[in-house]
C-alpha cells in the first residue's frame, strides 16, 4: 500500500495487563478487506488461529440472511502489526479515552477471535450486499509477534463454554421446535414440575425427571413430517401423546406426588432417560403416520415393557452399553426397535439395518 494512507476508526482506548487496546466499530463491508485469512496451508505452529472450518459457514451466513432484523454477532478481536496513532478528543481524563485510531493501510491484521464470523459475513454479503452498511465491534490489540498472538487465541478460548443445550432451547424464540417443546412442557400435566429447564444433565439428587433438551429432541422426532401447520395444534397433539405415555408409566406420576424420588426412578428405570424419550418419539411418529386412528391403544402397550435397568437381556447393547445409558443415535435406533417389536410395529429401513448389525455382533460374540 502507498505510505501515508490510513484507516481512521473512532475508538475507545483501554488498558489490559499494562497494554493499550482499542475498541471500535467496523463496517461489515470492510471486514473481508481488512482481515484476510490465507493461512489454511500453514502448519499449526506457524498460525495464530485454528483452521477455517468451511462447513460451518453456510449455516452462519444463513442465520444472518434469515434474520436481518435481529441477528447478533459478538465483537471480533484482532492484533495490528503497525505503528498506530491514537488522537484523543480532548485533554481531560474522560476525553483522552475517546478519539480516533489511525492505522496505516500497510498494516497487517491477525484475527485472534472471530474468523468464522468474518467469513460468514463475507458469504452473506454476496447474497445481500446491503448488510455491508451495518457494523460489528472490533477490539484491536497491538501485535506482539506470533507467540503473543497464539497465546491470545489460547487465552480467549480458555474459558469459552457453550451454554447447556436446555438453556439454549429455553431462550430460543426463533426455532419452531424449541417453541413447540416449551409449549408441550407448559401444556402437558405429565411434565409439570419435573422438567429441568436449564441444565442438560441431571444431578443424582435432582428432583427433575427430564431435561428440556430431551423433550425437545423427542418431540421433534414425534412430529417429524406430520402435516399439521398450526403450532397450537402441533403442541396439543404432542402433549396428548406424552400424556398417554405417562399414564402407562406410574413412576412418573409418583415422582410428581413425591411418593418416590426422581433420582430413584432414573437409577432403577430407563423410561425417563433421553435415549428412551427419543425412541418413544420415533415410535409415536410411526404410529401417527401408519395407525392414525389406533395410536392410543398401541401406546398403552408400553406399560407392559420391563423398563428396569437391570433387565440387561433386553437393554444391554440397546439403551445401555456396559451398563451405562447411551444416547448415541445407534442406541436410539436399537431402543426404538425393542419398543416397536413389543408393540408389533414394523421397523423402518434404518432401524432394520441397526438391528441386523446388532444381531451379527451378537452371533460373533457368541
Amino acid at each position: 500500500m502507498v505510505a501515508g494512507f490510513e484507516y481512521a476508526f473512532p475508538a475507545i482506548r483501554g488498558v489490559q495487563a499494562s497494554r493499550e487496546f482499542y475498541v471500535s466499530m467496523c463496517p461489515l463491508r470492510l471486514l473481508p478487506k481488512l482481515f484476510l485469512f490465507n493461512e489454511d496451508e500453514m502448519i499449526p505452529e506457524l498460525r495464530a488461529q485454528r483452521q477455517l472450518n468451511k462447513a460451518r459457514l453456510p449455516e452462519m451466513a444463513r442465520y444472518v440472511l434469515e434474520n436481518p432484523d435481529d441477528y447478533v454477532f459478538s465483537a471480533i478481536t484482532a492484533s495490528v502489526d503497525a505503528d498506530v496513532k491514537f488522537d484523543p478528543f480532548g485533554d481531560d481524563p474522560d476525553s483522552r479515552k475517546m478519539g480516533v485510531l489511525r492505522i496505516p493501510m500497510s498494516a497487517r491484521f491477525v484475527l485472534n477471535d472471530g474468523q468464522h464470523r468474518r467469513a460468514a459475513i463475507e458469504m452473506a454479503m454476496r447474497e445481500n450486499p446491503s448488510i455491508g452498511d451495518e457494523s460489528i465491534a472490533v477490539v484491536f490489540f497491538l501485535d506482539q509477534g506470533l507467540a503473543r498472538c497464539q497465546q491470545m487465541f489460547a487465552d480467549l478460548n480458555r474459558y469459552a463454554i457453550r451454554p447447556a443445550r436446555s438453556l439454549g432451547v429455553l431462550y430460543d424464540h426463533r426455532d419452531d421446535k424449541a417453541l413447540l417443546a416449551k409449549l408441550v412442557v407448559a401444556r402437558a400435566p405429565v411434565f409439570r414440575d419435573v422438567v429441568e429447564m436449564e441444565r442438560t444433565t441431571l444431578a443424582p439428587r435432582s428432583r427433575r425427571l427430564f431435561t428440556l433438551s430431551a423433550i425437545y429432541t423427542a418431540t421433534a422426532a414425534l412430529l417429524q413430517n406430520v402435516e399439521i401447520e398450526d403450532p397450537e395444534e402441533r403442541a396439543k397433539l404432542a402433549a396428548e401423546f406424552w400424556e398417554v405415555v405417562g399414564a402407562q408409566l406410574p413412576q412418573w406420576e409418583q415422582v410428581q406426588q413425591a411418593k418416590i424420588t426422581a433420582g430413584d426412578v432414573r437409577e432403577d428405570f430407563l423410561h425417563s432417560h433421553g435415549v428412551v424419550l427419543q425412541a418413544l418419539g420415533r415410535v409415536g411418529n410411526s404410529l401417527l403416520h401408519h395407525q392414525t386412528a389406533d395410536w392410543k391403544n398401541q401406546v398403552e402397550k408400553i406399560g407392559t415393557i420391563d423398563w428396569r435397568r437391570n433387565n440387561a437381556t433386553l437393554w444391554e447393547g440397546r439403551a445401555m452399553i456396559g451398563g451405562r445409558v447411551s444416547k448415541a443415535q445407534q442406541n436410539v435406533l436399537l431402543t426404538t426397535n425393542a419398543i416397536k417389536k413389543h408393540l408389533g410395529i414394523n421397523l423402518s429401513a434404518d432401524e432394520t439395518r441397526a438391528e441386523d448389525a446388532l444381531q451379527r455382533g451378537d452371533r460373533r460374540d457368541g
Side-chain angles (χ1 to χ4, degrees), residues 26-70:
C26 180
L28 296 187
R29 68 174 72 258
L30 196 57
L31 287 182
K33 300 175 183 178
L34 278 182
F35 306 113
L36 302 177
F37 192 84
N38 55 5
E39 301 175 334
D40 287 0
E41 304 303 320
M42 295 176 66
I43 62 174
E45 291 87 343
L46 298 180
R47 293 202 307 262
Q49 255 279 18
R50 61 167 69 93
Q51 240 181 344
L52 193 69
N53 183 353
K54 295 180 180 178
R56 291 178 56 191
L57 303 183
E59 182 180 0
M60 295 176 69
R62 189 166 58 250
Y63 161 69
V64 176
L65 293 169
E66 292 179 355
N67 303 281
D69 297 326
D70 60 356

Side-chain angles (χ1 to χ4, degrees), residues 196-271:
E196 171 55 61
M197 303 295 285
E198 183 172 349
R199 297 175 179 84
T200 305
T201 57
L202 294 170
R205 293 190 177 184
S206 173
R207 295 178 296 173
R208 311 303 184 191
L209 263 181
F210 318 101
T211 64
L212 178 60
S213 61
I215 293 172
Y216 170 97
T217 303
T219 303
L222 171 67
L223 295 185
Q224 184 176 8
N225 297 326
V226 173
E227 295 182 356
I228 300 175
E229 297 297 330
D230 183 66
E232 293 289 336
E233 290 300 317
R234 290 177 69 83
K236 180 180 177 181
L237 176 58
E240 186 178 15
F241 173 81
W242 292 118
E243 281 297 308
V244 176
V245 169
Q248 319 313 314
L249 305 171
Q251 294 83 14
W252 290 12
E253 184 179 6
Q254 289 168 3
V255 170
Q256 287 181 315
Q257 296 174 347
K259 293 181 178 179
I260 55 177
T261 68
D264 286 342
V265 173
R266 294 195 305 274
E267 181 68 26
D268 296 336
F269 298 91
L270 287 166
H271 49 52

Side-chain angles (χ1 to χ4, degrees), residues 37-344:
F37 192 84
N38 55 5
E39 301 175 334
D40 287 0
E41 304 303 320
M42 295 176 66
I43 62 174
E45 291 87 343
L46 298 180
R47 293 202 307 262
Q49 255 279 18
R50 61 167 69 93
Q51 240 181 344
L52 193 69
N53 183 353
K54 295 180 180 178
R56 291 178 56 191
L57 303 183
E59 182 180 0
M60 295 176 69
R62 189 166 58 250
Y63 161 69
V64 176
L65 293 169
E66 292 179 355
N67 303 281
D69 297 326
D70 60 356
Y71 75 89
V72 178
F73 273 150
S74 57
I76 62 176
T77 303
S79 293
V80 184
D81 183 11
D83 291 327
V84 305
K85 182 181 179 183
F86 182 74
D87 294 331
F89 288 148
D91 294 326
D92 62 276
D94 289 335
S95 297
R96 289 191 61 79
K97 296 177 183 177
M98 296 179 288
V100 177
L101 179 65
R102 303 187 184 279
I103 303 176
M105 285 189 176
S106 59
R108 178 175 177 266
F109 297 87
V110 175
L111 277 181
N112 307 112
D113 182 56
Q115 61 162 334
H116 289 91
R117 273 162 278 165
R118 184 213 69 85
I121 287 169
E122 181 179 11
M123 182 179 289
M125 283 194 298
R126 294 193 196 116
E127 188 167 334
N128 182 8
S130 67
I131 66 174
D133 296 327
E134 299 179 355
S135 58
I136 190 169
V138 181
V139 180
F140 291 107
F141 288 90
L142 302 184
D143 196 343
Q144 301 285 324
L146 177 63
R148 173 61 181 165
C149 287
Q150 290 177 335
Q151 186 63 57
M152 286 176 65
F153 174 81
D155 290 345
L156 287 166
N157 288 277
R158 187 181 306 275
Y159 302 109
I161 300 176
R162 289 180 63 87
R165 187 158 179 260
S166 287
L167 188 62
V169 173
L170 180 63
Y171 288 170
D172 195 334
H173 298 276
R174 188 176 289 122
D175 181 3
D176 290 340
K177 294 176 184 177
L179 297 173
L180 173 65
K182 289 178 282 190
L183 271 176
V184 169
V185 170
R187 303 276 176 82
V190 70
F191 292 138
R192 186 174 298 125
D193 299 327
V194 290
V195 178
E196 171 55 61
M197 303 295 285
E198 183 172 349
R199 297 175 179 84
T200 305
T201 57
L202 294 170
R205 293 190 177 184
S206 173
R207 295 178 296 173
R208 311 303 184 191
L209 263 181
F210 318 101
T211 64
L212 178 60
S213 61
I215 293 172
Y216 170 97
T217 303
T219 303
L222 171 67
L223 295 185
Q224 184 176 8
N225 297 326
V226 173
E227 295 182 356
I228 300 175
E229 297 297 330
D230 183 66
E232 293 289 336
E233 290 300 317
R234 290 177 69 83
K236 180 180 177 181
L237 176 58
E240 186 178 15
F241 173 81
W242 292 118
E243 281 297 308
V244 176
V245 169
Q248 319 313 314
L249 305 171
Q251 294 83 14
W252 290 12
E253 184 179 6
Q254 289 168 3
V255 170
Q256 287 181 315
Q257 296 174 347
K259 293 181 178 179
I260 55 177
T261 68
D264 286 342
V265 173
R266 294 195 305 274
E267 181 68 26
D268 296 336
F269 298 91
L270 287 166
H271 49 52
S272 66
H273 288 265
V275 60
V276 172
L277 289 181
Q278 189 175 350
L280 287 169
R282 289 179 62 94
V283 171
N285 181 262
S286 180
L287 290 173
L288 291 176
H289 280 294
H290 303 295
Q291 301 186 44
T292 307
D294 194 39
W295 69 264
K296 291 183 182 179
N297 290 332
Q298 289 287 84
V299 170
E300 288 174 359
K301 298 177 184 177
I302 69 169
T304 59
I305 297 176
D306 185 351
W307 294 102
R308 291 174 299 171
R309 289 181 62 160
N310 61 13
N311 182 16
T313 303
L314 177 58
W315 299 120
E316 182 59 38
R318 294 185 185 272
M320 298 190 300
I321 300 294
R324 298 178 64 88
V325 177
S326 172
K327 57 183 179 182
Q329 187 59 29
Q330 187 78 351
N331 296 103
V332 172
L333 292 177
L334 292 170
T335 302
T336 302
N337 294 355
I339 301 171
K340 280 190 168 183
K341 285 182 177 182
H342 188 86
L343 272 56

